[in-house]
Amino acid sequence: MLNAFRKFARSWVSGIIIGLLVISFGIWGVNDIFTRGSPDAVAKVAGESITQEEYKQEFDRLLKRAQADAQRDISTEEARAQGLDSAVLEQMVATRAFAALTDSLGLKAPDSVVQAEIAKIPAFQDQITRRFSQDTYQLALRDNGFTPAEFEKSVRSDLTRQSLTLAVSSGLRAPRVFASQTLAFGTERRMVTIIPIPASFVGGPRQPNDAQLKALYEESKAQLMRPETRNLTMVVASLADFEAKVKIDEAQAQEIFARNKERLSTPAKRGLVQLVTTDRAKADQAAARLRAGEDPAAIAKALGLSVPIVLSNVTVGGIPDANVAKAAFEMKQGDVQVVAAKLQPFAAVKVTEVVGAKEAKFEDSAAEIRTQLRQTAAGELMTDATEAYDKAITEGATLEAAAAKAGFRVVSINNIMADGNLATTGQPAPEFAEAPNVLKEAFAGGKGDTSDLAPIPGDSYVAVRIDSIAVAAPPPFDSIRTELTNEWVRRDVRARAEAKAKEVLAEAKKTSLEAAAAKFKLPVAKQNQPLLRGQGGQELSQAVFGAKKGELVLAPTANGVEYTVLRVDEILKDDEKMVPDRLTQAETAVRASVQRDLIASLERVARDRAKAQLFTKMMGRALGDTEETAAAKAATPAKQP
């Protein structure tokens, strides 16, 4: 079947059909041929559709922004795996629904406010004058895939949203008690006295026996589980490889240039002004005044003639009157002449611009012609090679032998996982960056299976053979003995340190922290600086900031192994009377939080009123899903975050 399609693509029949398609595209436009009247919206909000094209443009914009932020390429599949596709649609639906709500309330930011806001954006300002530049604005929008109308609509929506936010929260003041609590929480510190329980105090590390290591191995199998990996052999048929083998026939290149020389040449052009009249005397007067340099419009008004005909940068065929055209192309720049025209009795003609013809030269077009010849010849070579490859495979040749016969490259890819990353490095395998469907096929088959050649971006074809499969399993016990030993030692030290810390804590509660330290011959450290929330590790911070003044607690230190027994000596908080500015900041933070909650409630109301409908199947189709890929995704269990 593949060979039949390739042969058809080279036949004269395909040329006729492709020619008809080109004509159709020229008449109707590509979109009309395939999508005219299509109801395939990705969502409907307030009765208005979000089209697949609108959705795809917004997805591409946000993907481009994500790539810039990450400073690396992010594939569409990777972005979708992270939920960008759904997030984009949700954002568009929320924006449309909120706009419908504000429209129904008669809220709309005026054009003057929108333009003033746009003028403030630094990206649209001239780098020298620091003022808004229309050229910079247009260029920035074009680079980001926006039209001025789309961007201004977005800005208007944002400004309207801000106005509504201020309206619903106008006069809102955070209760003082909330602001006080926020300030107290943010500024709280603890003065503590500690008894550290170092690892050396509990006897240092001990070594496990085999039974203990194997018990830890069995206990940790779920965490140690390694995903399935496969070793693959890939055949790559690249047009670029075949282009390198092509030798250009210079005579053929010259022949192509000769056939297209007239089309490639630039014809002579003229600019001219015509004053037409039925009266020869008036035509002569008009010509005299044109020679004197008077304005053509003023001449026409003075002589009672019709508005001047002004033509600029036109070829001889672009001048409607043949007699005027002939005369204009015989005149020099600045010449004036009365012409007995065909369409009007007389025309006073002044030539305002003369551009000479420019004959095309072979050297100016040679590179493009050679490129086209090289690509065409390479395409034919690659088609012949793919046919030779398919035939060899059909006759029982090995993948390597068939690739050698066809002149294709062979690449070994080992330890690749289903997500396209290499198990050895954790980095994506570059061979599958543009071939996710080929990777899926490689993980759907069994050992020894070989896929058909499949097209991928970059004018290439690839096929893969599954050489071996390593099923998902924990690593062999002996291969991670060192790691298991280290983990067992860590857990053992922690357990013994915790037990000793509990003994110290019990003694401290009976006597005092200092007495317990003396009994166990441990140092006591009184902190000179207060402990801030989050310092010392999460567990220690939670224990300290959850205790009352004078309370004794124990917790592991930041390394997660050693322990500390602590006493909370003092709880410090900023006096709100002494820091009124910080209390004001706390009030602002609470107010902002309430505003966000109000807006979230309004968004839910807007969405309900707009009767928003999402069509996720169409969302996938907008991003390139076919019926087959959509069915495959539906059959694949969703990954748990």
Side-chain angles (χ1 to χ4, degrees), residues 210-281:
D210 277 359
Q212 290 168 323
L213 282 184
K214 288 179 179 177
L216 178 59
Y217 177 73
E218 292 298 326
E219 175 190 335
S220 308
K221 272 188 174 179
Q223 294 94 325
L224 295 171
M225 188 68 67
R226 292 177 179 174
E228 177 182 314
T229 61
R230 300 193 170 199
N231 290 345
L232 309 173
T233 297
M234 174 183 279
V235 167
V236 182
S238 170
L239 185 66
D241 291 342
F242 284 90
E243 286 182 9
K245 301 176 182 180
V246 173
K247 185 176 181 181
I248 299 300
D249 183 343
E250 288 298 324
Q252 186 181 11
Q254 291 280 1
E255 181 184 347
I256 292 173
F257 172 75
R259 290 201 305 267
N260 292 276
K261 184 175 181 179
E262 184 177 350
R263 179 179 61 82
L264 295 172
S265 297
T266 302
K269 295 180 181 180
R270 294 290 186 272
L272 58 130
V273 176
Q274 300 178 60
L275 291 169
V276 296
T277 176
T278 58
D279 187 333
R280 175 62 191 246

Side-chain angles (χ1 to χ4, degrees), residues 41-45 49-52 54-56 58-59 62 83-97 607 612-620 622-623:
V42 295
K44 191 168 276 190
V45 183
S49 295
I50 296 176
T51 66
Q52 291 187 32
E54 291 172 328
Y55 170 72
K56 180 67 165 59
E58 185 65 13
F59 179 89
L62 293 185
L84 182 65
D85 50 353
S86 299
V88 169
L89 186 56
E90 288 291 344
Q91 175 187 307
M92 294 182 75
V93 168
T95 301
R96 297 283 182 97
R607 187 166 180 141
Q613 297 174 280
L614 276 62
F615 311 117
T616 54
K617 183 178 179 181
M618 296 301 106
M619 178 180 75
L623 298 179

Side-chain angles (χ1 to χ4, degrees), residues 398-419:
T398 64
L399 181 140
E400 288 83 359
K405 187 171 184 179
F408 296 161
R409 286 183 287 122
V410 177
V411 180
S412 293
I413 306 166
N414 295 327
N415 297 312
I416 189 167
M417 299 180 287
D419 62 2

Side-chain angles (χ1 to χ4, degrees), residues 64-131:
K64 182 179 178 181
R65 188 183 305 168
Q67 290 171 332
D69 291 343
Q71 296 184 334
R72 68 178 182 87
D73 288 336
I74 300 174
S75 68
T76 297
E77 286 300 317
E78 181 183 351
R80 294 180 69 182
Q82 296 298 320
L84 182 65
D85 50 353
S86 299
V88 169
L89 186 56
E90 288 291 344
Q91 175 187 307
M92 294 182 75
V93 168
T95 301
R96 297 283 182 97
F98 208 87
L101 175 64
T102 54
D103 286 347
S104 69
L105 297 174
L107 296 175
K108 183 179 180 181
D111 289 345
S112 58
V113 176
V114 173
Q115 295 300 330
E117 190 66 24
I118 290 174
K120 296 177 186 176
I121 299 175
F124 303 150
Q125 295 173 356
D126 186 274
Q127 295 299 308
I128 298 175
T129 65
R130 298 298 178 186
R131 294 182 178 179

Side-chain angles (χ1 to χ4, degrees), residues 69 119 135 176 204 209 212 331 406 497 619:
D69 291 343
D135 290 342
R176 189 177 183 85
N209 57 38
Q212 290 168 323
M331 296 161 63
M619 178 180 75

